[in-house]
Amino acid sequence: MISAIIVMAVIGLVLGSVLGWAELFYRVAGDPLADKINDILPQTQCGQCGFPGCRPYAEAMAKGEADINRCPPGGEPGIQRLADLLGVEAKPFGEGVAPKPKSVALIDENTCIGCTLCIQACPVDAIVGASKQLHVIVADLCTGCELCLAPCPVDCIHMEVVHETVNNWKWRYPLIPIHQQREAA
Amino acid sequence: MIGSPFILKEHTSVRFTMIKVMAALVPGTLAYAWYFGPGIWISLVWCSLLGIGFEAVALVIRGRPLQPALTDGSVLLTAWLLALSIPTLAPWWLYMTGMFFAVVVAKHLYGGLGQNLFNPAMVGYAALIISFPVFMTQWAAPTTLANIVPNLSDAFDLVFVGGSITPDAYTSATVLDSLKTATRGGHTVLDAFAQPIHGLIAGKGMELVAIMYLFGGLFMISNRLITWHIPVAFLAAIALTAGVLQGLDPAHHAGPLFHMMAGGSMLGAFFIATDPVTACTTPRGKLIFAGLAGFLTVIIRTFGGYPDGVAFSILILNTAAPFIDAFSQPRVFGHAKGVK
Amino acid sequence: MSGKVYPIPGGLHPPEHKTESNAKAIIVAPLSAHYVVPLRQHIGQPARALVKAGDSVLKGQMIGAPEGRISAAVHAPTSGRVVAVEARPVAHPSGLPDQCVVIEADGKDTAADMQPIAWRDLPPGELHQRLVNMGLAGQGGAVFPSHVKLATGGTPIETLILNGAECEPWITCDDRLMRERATEIMQGAEIMRHALGAKRILVGIEDNKPEAAQAMQSACEQLKLAAEVTAVPTRYPSGGAKQLTQLLTGLETPSGKISTDIGIQVFNVATAYALQRAVELGEPMLTRVVTITGHVAGPCNIEARLGTPIDELIRLAGGDLAETSGHVIGGPMMGFDLDDTASPLVKSVNCIIAKNQELFPPHPPAMPCIRCGQCALVCPAVLQPFELYWHAKSKNFAKARAYKLFDCIECGCCSHVCPSHIPLVDFYRFAKSEIAADDRAKLAAEGARQRHEFQLLRQEREKKEKAERLGKKASERLDTGAVAADDPEAERKKAILEAAIERARQAKEAVHAKNTESLTPDQQHQIDEIEARRQAAPQDSEQQA
């Protein structure tokens, strides 16, 4: 009896100290979870989630302070990936946040006064131009965050939906007859 | 919206595949009827009707369309294989139970055609031999040995009504049974082989049925319905294991030829282990899968509680098939050897 | 005459249907009333339009310049006037329109100045620079710009392979070209060998084209060209570049690499023909031979100018017969449905097949996969197609990739033999394009993240520098002010004011300097263009007024 207790106690002690040691020596610097979440986020830096950028939102999610359904640019697949990563149920977008079709901002060349306000607002440096000169949005770099719309004093920026072209066209999921039958049945 | 290729190979369909496999079963079945009486036709037709009935019920319950699943031939093949694997002239409910397990439990509970983990016919067989071992040892005797050979209407009565003839008059143990009984009782293999049921190599009549299965199997290989890997590995493993055991103790172990021809070896090698849904699919995987199944077959026959081991060995390897497949993927074109 | 043939995995032999169209000589299409020339006829970046509506063009004049490294030029097929540069229906699986130059022919067919290239005087490795603007692109189906393939990279090219296998059913354009113009093809091959510095030439032709092989052999003898013409077994897909390479040399092209990495370059025979014309006549790629077959009155091969509307070509082949149910571009194994027959002929189109119910029955309903493994037996890439299907169907793309989805060449053998009639290749195409789009999105997100982080860093740095400067100024001010400070309060206010002005100036500077220093020439070009338009805009409005 006594020996059993001693054996158990010693095992507990040894395992406990191994765990304690591991905790100290294998500690990961930074927050790997926030990094992983940030990798899923679309990096539009649009702030629609209520945080000033993707990274802060990722950190809040990692701490469990923010919900996973607040990133409209990520769309449903984004929520699904976050849910998979965090081991929670996927949920629909909340009130007032809904994904929009992917768009890019476009500056009306004839109205722009070259005030540079949009350049300062762009979180991803996708607008080029200089003071009193026409600004141009580099469409390939634009994430469609719409943050440049509000600061423009002459309202010369509008969003243009990215249409499907031969270049970005994707093959569709094959609709094989058995699926149609199943739907009909 | 379906793209290229716009031409499909002619005369290729699941139904046609199943029909060709069933055609390969015809010689064996004819030989069976010739040597063991017409009872096989009763069980064959009854199992087929049960199969279609269970399939239809299962499809309705699952909310799936009856077509094309009901007529793809897969359930008929399952019924046929089960009918050939269990004794003829058994009571009707025995077949019913077997087909229930085969079609409803093994096939549809797993999601229907193509989704099942276990070979349906073997699940039916296993369920029966575990639940009703006595019925499963009452095999119709070869016509040359039986006191009474039931004709078609007798067979019908025996299956559905019961009949007044005692089973001893028309049934006998199989060679595997008599071998097991003999070796358990401390006798030698030669004692078992002295029994009248023993023919030239294995069971009287059954050995010829096995040869017919072999011909059917060769037909399937030549038609590219199956590849050579599984039958060859299965039979080779049986021969090797039996040979080693016989070499160790010739008095108490039957030889390679006996094990290859007895029981369900040939049926298993060409028709059951090759079921593509439940077997391995890579060339190396097939060899591993069938080799292990053959080895286990002889081990179960020799050391296990049941006379035949084909069904259990294949069911056990069915569980391992996805695992074996995952680790035996062939080298893809353009990839260096040994690099995953 | 036949060299050694090495075995290749998989493959099958569908009904050939070659005799419908291979008996007649190539017909030269008459001049069309108008041509629609897409700017994207090749793999890579589309060409940049050099003309606008209203311009006059000459036959052979470059109307689209190559943009970027992998791109090809496009040329006016005849002389005339540019009517529009706009999106028009093109032959593409998506059915989406693409940018095209529409030319109205003037009927004179006046050619631009065309100069032959003295290729024998050019050292190997220089010819390709002269071909950049010739618009040559592979005519086998992949339409890879030829001048890129003729540039010798790191690995020296030992072997030049001419692909005349033409393994797809129905197509006979290479067959006819080899029968009728073998000399030109072999001259093209000689130029290729010179440009690449290759040691030997191998020609692979399927053994169902003995006349073509004979003609090529005679051409070699006539030109005294040491080339090995080899008859390969008629077994689809022997005409795949990797498959033909293995058939003729026994070498496997490593996954994710191209044949040049093992010292082999493969060209289609029609590409060799086009190269010969480009070098010996100075004529850029203006025409190609295309097979019009299937459910048409007179199946044949037509040499037509690029940009000819496809319905015109069908008319030349006698027109569609009754109950035609559509058209396939390319072969029946790897082609795609044509949405609009007004689409023009482009460099990649080797065959147009009119469909009917009998020749091309509708796809039967798919059944569940029974893992029968027939697909694995015919797969030329030794894949396990049913495993790929499983993962692609469930959108488990990571797994599909792990099962080597990207080694699939989409040859269609697996779908062809599937007893369950599952459109396997469609699932692979779907999974591949999803993965590609996903990778693009990931790359874009990563770029956005880096730029955003850099911006945060820059703002941080600017703030710090500003604070430092301000602090220094303020302390200087205080130092001097401490000596003669009759009114410290006023001095302090002045300092704050000056600091504010300084801050404003700094902010202005920061904004001014920002973002414009590292523009790509492309972006600079865009800006310049917009500036030009801005300059022009007020004048336009004045004119309107």
Side-chain angles (χ1 to χ4, degrees):
Chain A
M1 178 69 191
I2 302 270
S3 63
I5 290 172
I6 290 169
V7 167
M8 292 305 282
V10 168
I11 291 173
L13 209 66
V14 169
L15 291 179
S17 32
V18 167
L19 280 177
W21 176 82
E23 163 70 15
L24 286 178
F25 284 83
Y26 290 102
R27 182 187 292 275
V28 181
D31 191 348
L33 185 60
D35 279 340
K36 277 186 192 157
I37 297 173
N38 200 28
D39 281 344
I40 294 173
L41 295 177
Q43 305 300 325
T44 51
Q45 320 294 349
C46 62
Q48 290 180 68
C49 49
F51 293 88
C54 294
R55 178 88 215 172
Y57 179 39
E59 277 161 10
M61 264 191 283
K63 283 185 204 132
E65 289 165 3
D67 223 337
I68 60 168
N69 63 345
R70 294 168 71 169
C71 178
E76 308 276 352
I79 293 187
Q80 190 58 53
R81 278 184 203 176
L82 288 173
D84 289 347
L85 176 68
L86 299 172
V88 295
E89 282 289 309
K91 49 171 89 173
F93 282 104
E95 200 71 10
V97 268
K100 288 185 206 161
K102 160 99 175 113
S103 334
V104 291
L106 214 71
I107 295 178
D108 180 356
E109 299 161 3
N110 295 326
T111 323
C112 175
I113 53 168
C115 68
T116 77
L117 285 174
C118 58
I119 294 185
Q120 294 166 56
C122 180
V124 293
D125 289 352
I127 307 181
V128 291
S131 180
K132 299 216 179 85
Q133 291 193 1
L134 169 66
H135 304 336
V136 173
I137 297 173
V138 183
D140 291 346
L141 303 185
C142 176
T143 60
C145 67
E146 304 187 1
L147 289 181
C148 53
L149 298 191
C152 181
V154 289
D155 283 341
C156 73
I157 307 178
H158 67 279
M159 301 303 291
E160 196 115 304
V161 175
V162 180
H163 288 289
E164 196 172 42
T165 64
V166 173
N167 216 14
N168 62 12
W169 174 78
K170 290 193 287 185
W171 285 89
R172 304 290 193 271
Y173 191 83
L175 278 177
I176 57 176
I178 197 164
H179 288 243
Q180 289 156 5
Q181 273 187 9
R182 215 172 273 174
E183 278 158 25
Chain B
M1 195 199 77
I2 294 173
S4 59
F6 297 104
I7 45 170
L8 303 182
K9 197 174 172 192
E10 289 188 327
H11 312 299
T12 308
S13 67
V14 173
R15 188 181 304 165
F16 201 62
T17 305
M18 297 292 173
I19 288 172
K20 280 199 273 192
V21 176
M22 286 191 266
L25 274 172
V26 167
T29 313
L30 286 176
Y32 197 102
W34 179 261
Y35 286 104
F36 298 93
I40 180 68
W41 302 121
I42 302 290
S43 54
L44 189 56
V45 171
W46 178 227
C47 280
S48 301
L49 292 174
L50 286 168
I52 291 174
F54 281 133
E55 177 101 352
V57 170
L59 286 168
V60 168
I61 292 173
R62 290 177 59 216
R64 298 295 157 97
L66 290 181
Q67 288 297 353
L70 204 54
T71 54
D72 63 18
S74 60
V75 75
L76 289 182
L77 183 61
T78 301
W80 198 332
L81 289 173
L82 184 70
L84 289 175
S85 311
I86 61 179
T88 51
L89 308 174
W92 58 271
W93 51 263
L94 191 79
Y95 302 110
M96 199 165 178
T97 314
M99 284 309 289
F100 174 80
F101 274 96
V103 175
V104 178
V105 177
K107 188 176 175 186
H108 279 284
L109 284 188
Y110 282 89
L113 179 66
Q115 309 283 316
N116 45 310
L117 181 58
F118 298 105
N119 185 303
M122 287 305 100
V123 169
Y125 173 91
L128 291 180
I129 202 161
I130 292 167
S131 315
F132 312 104
V134 175
F135 287 107
M136 292 293 283
T137 51
Q138 291 174 347
W139 289 79
T143 47
T144 47
L145 297 180
N147 299 335
I148 304 163
V149 181
N151 63 22
L152 211 54
S153 78
D154 294 339
F156 189 84
D157 283 351
L158 281 170
V159 171
F160 291 101
V161 186
S164 51
I165 327 166
T166 67
D168 288 348
Y170 58 88
T171 67
S172 80
T174 64
V175 274
L176 286 170
D177 288 324
S178 69
L179 181 71
K180 181 139 266 171
T181 320
T183 48
R184 282 268 167 82
H187 302 283
T188 64
V189 175
L190 289 177
D191 294 331
F193 285 1
Q195 300 280 327
I197 185 71
H198 198 274
L200 288 170
I201 304 165
K204 200 168 258 175
M206 206 57 209
E207 52 200 13
L208 287 151
V209 174
I211 287 170
M212 287 299 157
Y213 287 149
L214 172 67
F215 282 128
L218 294 177
F219 162 78
M220 289 204 295
I221 292 176
S222 70
N223 260 283
R224 301 232 290 180
L225 285 168
I226 56 172
T227 61
W228 58 270
H229 302 83
I230 287 181
V232 168
F234 188 77
L235 292 174
I238 286 182
L240 193 71
T241 316
V244 169
L245 287 175
Q246 194 188 32
L248 293 174
D249 184 1
H252 293 97
H253 295 292
L257 216 50
F258 171 85
H259 274 293
M260 281 160 72
M261 299 299 281
S265 299
M266 279 294 169
L267 189 69
F270 287 99
F271 294 92
I272 310 239
T274 54
D275 168 21
V277 176
T278 54
C280 282
T281 47
T282 65
R284 268 189 300 152
K286 284 175 181 170
L287 293 177
I288 298 168
F289 170 86
L292 287 174
F295 167 74
L296 274 183
T297 299
V298 178
I299 295 298
I300 293 171
R301 280 178 184 176
T302 312
F303 304 106
Y306 293 99
D308 204 351
V310 173
F312 291 111
S313 67
I314 290 177
L315 287 175
I316 290 167
L317 264 300
N318 281 165
T319 60
F323 181 75
I324 296 171
D325 267 346
F327 285 94
S328 64
Q329 286 294 315
R331 185 183 70 87
V332 172
F333 185 92
H335 285 266
K337 285 192 177 83
V339 178
K340 271 272 160 182
Chain C
M1 76 175 194
S2 213
K4 188 170 162 42
V5 175
Y6 298 82
I8 58 165
L12 42 83
H13 188 186
E16 289 175 23
H17 287 293
K18 300 269 193 190
T19 49
E20 280 89 339
S21 57
N22 71 359
K24 263 189 279 177
I26 297 171
I27 300 167
V28 179
L31 200 61
S32 183
H34 73 282
Y35 291 92
V36 180
V37 187
L39 292 167
R40 185 202 310 267
Q41 300 192 28
H42 46 263
I43 294 271
Q45 289 268 91
R48 178 165 44 84
L50 297 175
V51 290
K52 56 185 188 302
D55 289 359
S56 305
V57 290
L58 295 173
K59 174 188 175 184
Q61 181 187 332
M62 185 158 74
I63 52 176
E67 187 93 323
R69 196 178 79 84
I70 297 176
S71 183
V74 291
H75 300 81
T78 186
S79 60
R81 204 171 57 85
V82 176
V83 187
V85 180
E86 61 185 16
R88 286 283 183 113
V90 291
H92 190 268
S94 66
L96 291 168
D98 204 9
Q99 277 312 105
C100 298
V101 177
V102 186
I103 296 170
E104 204 178 65
D106 59 10
K108 296 190 196 100
D109 205 20
T110 323
D113 185 32
M114 294 178 188
Q115 290 299 329
I117 301 169
W119 58 276
R120 282 176 209 276
D121 305 334
L122 287 174
E126 247 174 58
L127 182 65
H128 72 98
Q129 291 167 359
R130 308 282 296 272
L131 293 170
V132 172
N133 288 337
M134 289 307 238
L136 296 171
Q139 291 183 43
V143 266
F144 196 86
S146 301
H147 66 268
V148 184
K149 278 173 81 175
L150 284 169
T152 41
T155 325
I157 302 295
E158 286 277 323
T159 310
L160 166 68
I161 293 179
L162 272 201
N163 187 345
E166 199 164 58
C167 58
E168 275 234 40
W170 291 103
I171 310 178
T172 59
C173 58
D174 290 350
D175 184 9
R176 281 314 314 186
L177 195 72
M178 286 189 285
R179 289 196 209 185
E180 296 176 29
R181 301 176 194 177
T183 315
E184 288 88 341
I185 294 172
M186 288 319 297
Q187 278 170 347
E190 205 180 347
I191 299 166
M192 283 171 171
R193 180 171 69 174
H194 178 76
L196 293 167
K199 294 201 173 57
R200 58 173 182 165
I201 305 177
L202 301 177
V203 185
I205 302 171
E206 273 194 350
D207 56 14
N208 61 354
K209 290 180 268 295
E211 301 91 344
Q214 189 56 51
M216 294 287 274
Q217 186 71 34
S218 322
C220 293
E221 281 157 19
Q222 190 197 328
L223 293 171
K224 300 197 173 52
L225 192 63
E228 216 171 294
V229 180
T230 303
V232 298
T234 303
R235 190 166 178 80
Y236 181 84
S238 65
K242 291 183 175 185
Q243 279 64 39
L244 191 65
T245 303
Q246 196 180 21
L247 274 167
L248 295 180
T249 65
L251 295 173
E252 241 177 67
T253 312
S255 167
K257 300 225 169 141
I258 45 174
S259 59
T260 47
D261 291 321
I262 50 171
I264 295 167
Q265 190 60 284
V266 187
F267 282 99
N268 188 274
V269 286
T271 315
Y273 176 74
L275 177 76
Q276 190 265 349
R277 289 184 76 84
V279 173
E280 298 285 4
L281 307 177
E283 182 192 281
M285 192 172 166
L286 297 181
T287 64
R288 72 154 297 147
V289 180
V290 56
T291 306
I292 316 285
T293 185
H295 198 55
V296 291
C300 60
N301 285 287
I302 301 176
E303 183 178 21
R305 300 182 196 214
L306 300 168
T308 313
I310 283 171
D311 43 16
E312 239 168 77
L313 297 172
I314 295 170
R315 263 202 300 283
L316 277 174
D320 290 330
L321 295 173
E323 285 167 17
T324 296
S325 56
H327 296 89
V328 173
I329 294 289
M333 296 297 286
M334 290 184 75
F336 56 89
D337 273 311
L338 178 66
D339 280 10
D340 191 341
T341 50
S343 308
L345 176 74
V346 290
K347 291 169 188 172
S348 62
V349 176
N350 49 8
C351 185
I352 297 155
I353 309 174
K355 294 199 287 186
N356 70 347
Q357 297 282 325
E358 197 195 328
L359 295 170
F360 296 92
H363 204 281
M367 299 273 295
C369 170
I370 53 168
R371 298 168 63 85
C372 64
Q374 299 292 328
C375 47
L377 291 179
V378 295
C379 180
V382 207
L383 294 162
Q384 298 280 296
F386 51 88
E387 301 276 11
L388 288 176
Y389 159 67
W390 189 258
H391 298 307
K393 188 183 171 215
S394 53
K395 301 183 186 171
N396 192 345
F397 298 132
K399 264 276 198 250
R401 207 174 227 184
Y403 276 90
K404 316 282 193 294
L405 173 68
F406 282 90
D407 284 300
C408 166
I409 58 168
E410 299 175 28
C411 65
C413 287
C414 50
S415 297
H416 181 80
V417 298
C418 180
S420 292
H421 308 306
I422 300 168
L424 294 161
V425 183
D426 289 75
F427 280 97
Y428 310 149
R429 285 190 282 242
F430 158 73
K432 280 184 185 178
S433 71
E434 285 295 324
I435 293 173
D438 211 48
D439 284 355
R440 273 202 305 272
K442 274 231 174 69
L443 212 66
E446 181 56 25
R449 189 182 63 77
Q450 280 175 4
R451 288 197 308 279
H452 179 64
E453 277 169 10
F454 178 67
Q455 190 185 51
L456 292 180
L457 199 79
R458 196 180 54 211
Q459 283 168 353
E460 193 62 33
R461 195 186 60 207
E462 278 166 8
K463 214 154 72 187
K464 216 167 81 190
E465 282 171 2
K466 201 156 56 191
E468 269 170 19
R469 249 195 315 267
L470 198 64
K472 214 165 117 196
K473 261 226 163 99
S475 60
E476 272 172 16
R477 189 70 58 194
L478 281 177
D479 284 348
T480 48
V483 184
D486 34 357
D487 191 353
E489 184 59 16
E491 278 297 317
R492 201 181 65 82
K493 274 185 180 163
K494 200 176 161 196
I496 290 169
L497 198 67
E498 267 172 1
I501 292 167
E502 173 66 16
R503 203 158 52 230
R505 197 181 62 80
Q506 294 260 334
K508 198 176 158 193
E509 253 177 25
V511 165
H512 191 81
K514 189 164 138 188
N515 244 345
T516 44
E517 55 287 66
S518 59
L519 287 177
T520 63
D522 203 28
Q523 288 163 347
Q524 188 62 51
H525 180 73
Q526 263 183 325
I527 293 173
D528 291 346
E529 260 183 3
I530 291 164
E531 283 291 354
R533 273 204 295 276
R534 251 155 73 89
Q535 296 271 310
Q539 289 162 13
D540 285 350
S541 51
E542 273 164 33
Q543 277 164 11
Q544 277 162 11

